[in-house]
Amino acid sequence: MSYTILIPARLHSTRLPEKPLADIAGLPMVVQVAQRVQQAPGVDRVVVAADHERIVQACTSHGIEALLTDNDHPSGSDRLAQACSLLQLPDDAIVVNVQGDEPLIDPALPGAVARLLQQTPAASMATAAHRMHDSTDLRNPNAVKVVCDAQGMALYFSRAPIPWWRDGWGAAMQGDRTLPASHLLENSDPKASPAPPLRHIGIYAYRCAFLKQFPQLPPAPIEKAESLEQLRALWHGHRIAVHLSDTAPGRGVDTPEDLAAVQRLFAQSQ
């Protein structure tokens, strides 16, 4: 099996300006991510798809392949679709989308989702999830949940606590109608549910042909409601295979506080 890892990188970020170039242990963050996933089993090529020449220069100066894409793409999927065309990847090539703000990503994860997609012809995409153990994540709308069927295919993604345990959390709500759901979930044990929730991990594998098609699909109402782009694929009848990871992903970088925490982790490991 061989596959290409594409890392979309956008210079401007509302919460953390110039995030791809943020310094982590002496290297730009996007370079740290690229170097880490170069260790992924079976990977043939790692390419950063950037929207600014400064990112391209930062990558190439450290031996990382990078290409310049348009700076007005509405989503990372559009950027990756253009990258596939620029790289002239064949339609049956498997591409794994790794976010450029995940410097602690497990290098085994890209290979796992690529392998799953290769082995699942019925799926247009593959992604990953892990079992949720923390009630904080359960009630956190930024911790996306996924429900799968018996074959490990995604049924739905949501920012809400799903699947909702009627006889547990639901019974507690019935018992005290004065308390909001967030309070009732505060001390709930996700593992106690007969269907323990799964937290989605934001990594995707695509076949190149589908990745080129995906941005052309009309946005879905559920995608707009949840602000989750992967729901567009489900809405239009495409299947998403889900790799169940044994461990939670390392901390991503969205804010200055996240960056400081990751910088400390790198410093401690040196």
Side-chain angles (χ1 to χ4, degrees), residues 20-78:
L21 303 180
D23 182 272
I24 296 179
L27 292 174
M29 177 164 57
V30 69
V31 172
Q32 287 281 12
V33 174
Q35 289 183 348
R36 195 170 181 92
V37 297
Q38 282 177 333
Q39 306 169 40
V43 66
D44 181 57
R45 194 175 185 182
V46 175
V47 183
V48 173
D51 75 339
H52 199 284
E53 187 62 40
R54 288 178 59 199
I55 300 174
V56 174
Q57 291 174 354
C59 291
T60 55
S61 67
H62 290 94
I64 301 298
E65 185 178 2
L67 55 81
L68 187 64
T69 58
D70 295 341
N71 62 8
D72 58 352
H73 284 305
S75 72
S77 299
D78 294 88

Side-chain angles (χ1 to χ4, degrees), residues 148-230:
C148 299
D149 66 14
Q151 285 72 47
M153 296 286 201
L155 291 170
Y156 192 67
F157 297 84
S158 181
R159 298 182 183 279
I162 59 171
W164 180 257
W165 184 18
R166 187 200 66 174
D167 294 334
W169 313 321
M173 288 183 68
Q174 292 295 323
D176 191 342
R177 297 174 182 270
T178 65
L179 294 177
S182 59
H183 181 90
L184 292 165
L185 290 173
E186 187 170 351
N187 298 310
S188 300
D189 182 2
K191 301 187 296 295
S193 169
L198 301 177
R199 180 173 181 173
H200 179 229
I201 301 172
I203 184 172
Y204 299 96
Y206 308 84
R207 292 184 180 84
C208 203
F210 175 72
L211 182 53
K212 293 175 183 177
Q213 173 194 359
F214 181 73
Q216 310 307 318
L217 295 174
I222 54 175
E223 171 192 358
K224 294 178 180 179
E226 298 263 14
S227 191
L228 296 174
E229 194 179 38
Q230 65 269 35

Side-chain angles (χ1 to χ4, degrees), residues 105-183:
I105 186 172
D106 180 357
L109 196 56
V113 294
R115 189 179 309 107
L116 178 61
L117 182 59
Q118 184 187 51
Q119 296 172 350
T120 314
S124 298
M125 299 169 55
T127 189
H130 69 91
R131 290 184 178 86
M132 190 174 289
H133 303 297
D134 189 341
S135 62
T136 302
D137 287 341
L138 184 64
R139 65 183 190 275
N140 180 2
N142 294 317
V144 177
K145 296 83 180 173
V146 58
V147 175
C148 299
D149 66 14
Q151 285 72 47
M153 296 286 201
L155 291 170
Y156 192 67
F157 297 84
S158 181
R159 298 182 183 279
I162 59 171
W164 180 257
W165 184 18
R166 187 200 66 174
D167 294 334
W169 313 321
M173 288 183 68
Q174 292 295 323
D176 191 342
R177 297 174 182 270
T178 65
L179 294 177
S182 59
H183 181 90

